[in-house]
Amino acid sequence: MASKRRFQAAMLAPVIVLLIGLTVFPFIYTVTNSFTDYYYLAAESKQFVGLSNYIKVLNDDLFQRAVWNTVKFMLLAVSIETALGLGIALLVESMKRGLRLLRVTLLLPSLLPPVTVALVWQMMLSNHNGIINHMLSIFGMGPFNFLMDIGLAFNAILLIDIWQWTPFAFLLLYAALQAIPRSQYEAARVDGAGGWKVFAHITLPHLWPGLLLVVLLRTIDTFRLFDKVNILTGGGPANSTTTVTQYIYRHGVYNLQFGYSAAASIIMVLLVLAFSIAYILRSIRGSQ
């Protein structure tokens, strides 16, 4: 038994070291720097400043705008993607033919890298020669500057995110649908239950863990929204699409204020935990 444990420890050691190097150490390093005035070009003179960075970040109007944009985007994107994913999963579940081709087609957007998606949509939304404005001109509409109009830019990025990640919600919920025992549906039909009652009393209770998982994963992912914003709008126009990650990128990469951006990063982590706490507590209760 002792030799078996030593062998197991030896096999796990490289993975543990890798995880510490890629997750634990960067996190501790970020937390430590968040309490300093670390500026890259004057790294030798960095000093401990306590909570000064956190106070400055929280009092910054631009950060508050970034948080509001991120939270609004998260609430809209997660709710719409989950609802559409559930609707599509129920529709595909009820179909009898063409399921393989349809499933593959539906999943294609989520398989594309975010950068590729952003570049493709950037060409499609161009106000000069984009295909969307060209199609709108057929009906006598436009052209619209989707990415530089303060009233359209946010909604354009939201639409792109919904297009890309609704298939992800569909995939998880469709898999959860497949796990529901068919015998329960047969018993409901024998009892004369209607479609809505079957959904409310059989389908939805079984899908609830899957729905919570979709909401958690998409909440975390939407808080990290960066690629599309950075490529399509750069946070503009007038900071209407600036997100928390975009804010951190500006101060950490452009301005080289590593201490300040580290504080903003920790605040973002706390925000993600705040929105994910319900699922985390439910998971803890379920494991006990």
Side-chain angles (χ1 to χ4, degrees):
M1 289 296 294
S3 61
K4 182 178 180 180
R5 289 173 182 170
R6 285 195 296 269
F7 175 77
Q8 292 173 343
M11 293 296 101
L12 289 174
V15 178
I16 294 174
V17 171
L18 183 64
L19 287 175
I20 292 174
L22 295 178
T23 58
V24 178
F25 173 74
F27 179 75
I28 296 175
Y29 185 73
T30 302
V31 172
T32 303
N33 282 327
S34 70
F35 296 104
T36 68
D37 60 353
Y38 186 9
Y39 179 60
Y40 182 74
L41 298 181
E44 301 83 4
S45 61
K46 74 174 181 179
Q47 296 179 350
F48 178 79
V49 295
L51 297 175
S52 177
N53 286 330
Y54 290 91
I55 295 172
K56 289 180 181 178
V57 170
L58 293 174
N59 289 328
D60 188 355
D61 292 338
L62 181 55
F63 180 77
Q64 295 173 11
R65 178 66 182 272
V67 170
W68 166 243
N69 289 339
T70 304
V71 171
K72 181 172 70 170
F73 184 91
M74 182 270 294
L75 293 174
L76 291 173
V78 172
S79 58
I80 295 173
E81 289 165 10
T82 304
L84 287 177
L86 176 59
I88 296 172
L90 292 172
L91 177 63
V92 172
E93 173 73 8
S94 65
M95 296 176 63
K96 304 300 181 183
R97 297 180 181 179
L99 288 180
R100 289 186 180 180
L101 179 61
L102 183 60
R103 285 198 296 261
V104 172
T105 304
L106 287 171
L107 291 175
L108 284 177
S110 63
L111 300 177
L112 299 173
V115 174
T116 302
V117 171
L119 292 174
V120 170
W121 277 91
Q122 186 179 52
M123 292 185 289
M124 293 173 61
L125 294 172
S126 172
N127 59 321
H128 296 296
N129 51 10
I131 188 173
I132 294 180
N133 269 316
H134 176 72
M135 294 175 64
L136 291 174
S137 66
I138 298 175
F139 302 97
M141 302 170 62
F144 297 102
N145 195 348
F146 290 100
L147 302 177
M148 288 294 110
D149 188 309
I150 195 170
L152 297 175
F154 182 89
N155 294 326
I157 295 177
L158 177 63
L159 175 65
I160 295 170
D161 193 81
I162 291 171
W163 175 83
Q164 183 180 16
W165 293 113
T166 295
F168 173 79
F170 154 74
L171 179 64
L172 292 183
L173 295 175
Y174 183 75
L177 278 174
Q178 301 302 303
I180 300 177
R182 302 295 104 178
S183 59
Q184 296 188 13
Y185 288 115
E186 295 172 1
R189 293 192 194 97
V190 171
D191 292 338
W196 171 249
K197 287 187 176 180
V198 170
F199 175 78
H201 296 285
I202 297 178
T203 305
L204 191 57
H206 283 88
L207 284 181
W208 192 243
L211 287 169
L212 288 176
L213 180 60
V214 170
V215 170
L216 175 68
L217 295 178
R218 292 303 303 138
T219 297
I220 295 172
D221 198 49
T222 51
F223 255 99
R224 297 187 299 107
L225 177 68
F226 174 76
D227 310 77
K228 299 182 183 72
V229 172
N230 197 51
I231 292 172
L232 295 173
T233 65
N239 297 314
S240 62
T241 60
T242 298
T243 60
V244 176
T245 51
Q246 184 76 17
Y247 180 90
I248 295 170
Y249 178 78
R250 286 183 188 178
H251 287 278
V253 177
Y254 281 176
N255 300 335
L256 302 178
Q257 297 173 321
F258 286 179
Y260 186 85
S261 62
S265 301
I266 298 302
I267 293 174
M268 187 187 77
V269 171
L270 295 177
L271 287 172
V272 173
L273 287 176
F275 281 98
S276 306
I277 196 69
Y279 179 85
I280 295 173
L281 291 176
R282 185 181 179 88
S283 300
I284 293 174
R285 293 193 196 102
S287 61
Q288 291 177 348

